[in-house]
């Protein structure tokens, strides 16, 4: 139905007001309240739980049906048939690439993976025990001090060059943050390796022996990158958009997104899964722990999801990947992974968890996979940031290219003191 409107009526005798209803291609319609401020009032929506802050063509989520689409393509199909860089091209450009376009895109990303040599001095300014996310926030933000030739946000070519640089250099920064914390020499990107293979090479290779990338592990990591590449208007993406709305350069905006992702309520979920497994200790303790979950004395991490009220569509893919990795490495009998599989078994069979739809989510399985690969827990969130960089830059680019872009300026419901006059200090009681 075209030209739908919603009518707002007051119970104090004021006249009614009408606001247009805007339809999307998928998902709920939205009420356009841009003229609501003319009433002298604002809407109140803490956490933006019922507010569409932008229009976007990038990612769609239906939490009730368990659907996640990148540019209209179901995540399950991309994880099975695509690779991370092809998914990056899709998110940035709106369509899947031709063979030549993919070859050119892959080449452009891989040729930008090196860092300016002076950037290494930034790492040496941090303590060895600094959290890698602290290092990433600082170093990514500092990229704007080295790449002045692509900072005109109104130039489409500059935006494209910045996108390539960010997608290419963030894995290098993440890997070097890890190696610095271990006192290892920096390992540089290597020609001939894929995006995921290069990351594993930069993480684990040594100067004294050739490092051979396990293709099963590289494929698993590539899937993790795809599944975390974007997730609509989440906290960190909204942070990038808000920072970008001021005209800030893209490196600063992505650094802001990394800082937001660092929060335990956002990017630290798979890290929390491993901490939970350590706290449980062994398979024998699982039944008592799950009873504690039911009694609200223990918190179950990696199960259920704020957005997905059904099965997280990414979890099924990661479960398959988890099984592949554990089989490849012969870890099914490892105590920690046996413990995780017992948790999964109870959650999928116990009516308490089924009725509450507390299914294992992507964080549960990705945490197990990353741990099995040998990636330390402190690097889980940096890997999330690495994967999400393309989503952030896609949203930033979409916003900057919008001729109707406005600087973000949320309003508030003020509940502080009313006007009062200053009192000299010796007269205060």
């Amino acid at each position: 139905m075209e030209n739908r409107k919603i009518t707002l009526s007051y119970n104090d005798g004021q006249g009614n007001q009408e606001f247009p209803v805007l339809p999307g291609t998928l998902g709920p319609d939205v009420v356009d309240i841009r003229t609501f401020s003319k009433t002298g009032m604002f809407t109140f929506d803490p956490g933006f739980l019922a507010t569409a802050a932008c229009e976007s063509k990038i990612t769609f989520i239906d939490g009730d049906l368990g659907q996640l689409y990148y540019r209209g393509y179901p995540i399950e199909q991309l994880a099975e048939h695509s690779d991370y860089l092809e998914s990056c091209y899709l998110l940035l450009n709106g369509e899947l690439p031709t063979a030549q376009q993919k070859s050119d895109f892959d080449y452009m990303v891989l040729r930008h993976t090196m860092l300016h040599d002076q950037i290494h001095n930034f790492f040496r300014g941090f303590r060895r025990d600094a959290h890698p996310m602290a290092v990433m926030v600082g170093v990514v933000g500092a990229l704007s001090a080295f790449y002045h030739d692509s900072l005109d946000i109104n130039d489409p070519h500059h935006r494209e060059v910045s996108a390539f640089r960010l997608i290419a250099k963030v894995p290098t920064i993440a890997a070097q943050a890890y190696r610095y914390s271990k006192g290892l020499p920096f390992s540089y990107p290597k020609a001939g390796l894929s995006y995921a293979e290069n990351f594993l090479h930069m993480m684990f290779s040594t100067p004294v022996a050739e490092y051979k990338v396990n293709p099963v592990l590289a494929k698993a990591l590539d899937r993790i990158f795809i599944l975390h590449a974007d997730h609509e208007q989440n906290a960190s993406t909204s942070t990038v958009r808000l920072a970008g709305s001021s005209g800030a350069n893209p490196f600063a905006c992505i650094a802001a997104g990394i800082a937001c992702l660092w929060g335990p309520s956002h990017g630290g979920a798979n890290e929390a899964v491993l901490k939970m497994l350590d706290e449980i200790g062994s398979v024998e303790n699982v039944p008592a722990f799950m009873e504690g979950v039911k009694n609200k004395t223990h918190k179950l991490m990696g199960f259920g999801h704020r957005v997905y009220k059904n099965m997280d569509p990414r979890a099924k893919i990661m479960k398959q990947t988890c099984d592949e990795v554990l089989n490849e490495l012969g870890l099914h009998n490892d105590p920690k992974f046996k413990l995780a599989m017992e948790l999964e078994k109870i959650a999928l069979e116990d009516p308490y968890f089924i009725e509450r739809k507390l299914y294992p989510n992507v964080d549960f399985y990705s945490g197990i996979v990353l741990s099995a690969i040998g990636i330390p827990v402190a690097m889980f969130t940096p890997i999330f940031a690495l994967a999400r960089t393309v989503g952030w830059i896609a949203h930033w680019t979409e916003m900057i290219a919008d001729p109707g872009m406005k600087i973000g300026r949320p309003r508030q419901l003020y509940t502080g003191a009313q006007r009062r006059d200053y009192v000299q200090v010796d007269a205060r009681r």
Side-chain angles (χ1 to χ4, degrees), residues 21-34:
V21 176
L22 307 179
T25 51
L26 290 170
D29 295 340
V30 301
V31 179
D32 184 350
I33 58 169
R34 282 175 286 187

Side-chain angles (χ1 to χ4, degrees), residues 11-304:
N11 62 3
D12 60 358
Q14 292 188 54
N16 296 340
Q17 283 185 285
E18 290 187 336
F19 300 95
V21 176
L22 307 179
T25 51
L26 290 170
D29 295 340
V30 301
V31 179
D32 184 350
I33 58 169
R34 282 175 286 187
T35 61
F36 187 79
S37 60
K38 294 179 180 179
T39 66
M41 296 184 290
F42 302 124
T43 57
F44 186 62
D45 183 22
F48 306 111
L49 300 183
T51 298
C54 66
E55 178 182 333
S56 181
K57 295 178 171 63
I58 298 171
T59 298
F60 171 76
I61 296 171
D62 189 316
D64 293 330
L65 297 179
Q67 296 173 340
L68 171 60
Y69 299 162
Y70 292 171
R71 300 286 191 174
Y73 291 95
I75 191 65
E76 298 90 340
Q77 294 181 19
L78 294 171
E80 181 178 357
H81 302 295
S82 185
D83 62 40
Y84 179 67
L85 287 184
E86 183 177 65
S87 297
C88 287
Y89 184 99
L90 172 66
L91 287 168
L92 290 169
N93 297 288
E95 299 293 342
L96 289 169
T98 64
Q100 186 60 53
Q101 287 171 332
K102 185 179 188 317
S103 176
D104 293 344
F105 185 85
D106 290 2
Y107 171 77
M108 287 296 293
V109 170
L110 296 175
R111 74 183 288 266
H112 279 294
T113 51
M114 292 289 291
L115 298 176
H116 191 291
D117 193 59
Q118 284 183 262
I119 290 176
H120 296 136
N121 295 328
F122 280 90
F123 290 94
R124 298 183 181 95
F126 291 94
R127 286 170 48 126
R128 293 280 181 183
D129 60 355
H131 195 287
M133 285 295 280
V135 177
M136 288 187 68
V137 170
V139 178
V140 171
L143 291 178
S144 61
F146 292 87
Y147 302 106
H148 306 128
D149 60 340
S150 61
L151 295 183
D152 183 355
I153 65 172
N154 297 311
D155 185 327
H157 178 65
H158 281 209
R159 296 198 296 265
E160 182 181 40
V161 171
S162 293
F164 279 123
R165 283 175 169 161
L166 281 159
I167 295 167
K169 296 181 190 304
V170 168
T172 308
I173 293 169
Q176 293 190 355
Y178 164 71
R179 294 182 73 89
Y180 179 76
S181 72
K182 295 297 181 183
L184 297 170
F186 293 148
S187 182
Y188 295 94
K190 187 176 180 181
L193 297 180
S194 71
Y195 192 84
E197 289 171 341
N198 239 322
F199 182 71
L200 290 171
H201 163 76
M202 290 189 290
M203 284 280 291
F204 299 122
S205 65
T206 65
V208 297
E210 182 182 0
Y211 176 75
K212 293 185 178 179
V213 179
N214 184 316
V216 175
L217 305 189
K219 177 63 177 175
L221 191 60
D222 194 75
R223 276 187 183 161
I224 288 176
F225 292 165
I226 293 172
L227 297 179
H228 289 85
D230 194 43
H231 210 237
E232 206 217 59
Q233 307 305 320
N234 51 75
S236 57
T237 300
S238 298
T239 298
V240 170
R241 280 183 172 267
L242 191 59
S245 73
S246 73
N249 72 73
F251 303 107
C253 295
I254 300 308
I258 294 171
C260 181
L261 188 72
W262 192 1
S265 295
H266 190 7
N270 50 14
E271 187 173 336
V273 170
L274 268 293
K275 290 180 179 178
M276 176 188 70
L277 296 179
D278 288 338
E279 290 171 2
I280 297 173
S282 66
V283 173
E284 292 74 24
N285 299 329
V286 169
F289 176 83
M290 295 301 258
E291 285 302 313
V293 171
K294 296 177 183 179
N295 297 328
K296 306 291 191 296
T297 58
H298 296 310
K299 194 167 184 180
L300 185 63
M301 307 304 297
F303 291 77

Side-chain angles (χ1 to χ4, degrees), residues 65-67 308-316 348 359-360 365:
L65 297 179
Q67 296 173 340
Y308 299 107
K309 307 309 176 188
N310 209 312
M311 189 76 172
D312 182 341
R314 302 167 298 174
K316 182 179 179 181
L348 293 176
Y359 303 112
Y365 294 114

Side-chain angles (χ1 to χ4, degrees), residues 290-359:
M290 295 301 258
E291 285 302 313
V293 171
K294 296 177 183 179
N295 297 328
K296 306 291 191 296
T297 58
H298 296 310
K299 194 167 184 180
L300 185 63
M301 307 304 297
F303 291 77
H305 197 281
R306 177 180 172 181
V307 172
Y308 299 107
K309 307 309 176 188
N310 209 312
M311 189 76 172
D312 182 341
R314 302 167 298 174
K316 182 179 179 181
I317 304 160
M318 278 311 305
K319 173 174 170 52
Q320 175 190 339
T321 303
C322 184
D323 291 337
E324 291 170 357
V325 168
L326 295 182
N327 286 334
E328 174 68 16
L329 300 177
L331 291 176
H332 270 293
N333 290 321
D334 179 273
K336 179 178 288 186
F337 300 120
K338 286 181 69 175
L339 190 163
M341 294 304 102
E342 182 64 19
L343 277 177
E344 175 199 49
K345 180 174 181 292
I346 292 176
L348 293 176
E349 295 177 355
D350 190 312
Y352 176 90
F353 299 100
I354 295 172
E355 289 167 6
R356 290 163 177 77
K357 298 185 177 179
L358 293 175
Y359 303 112

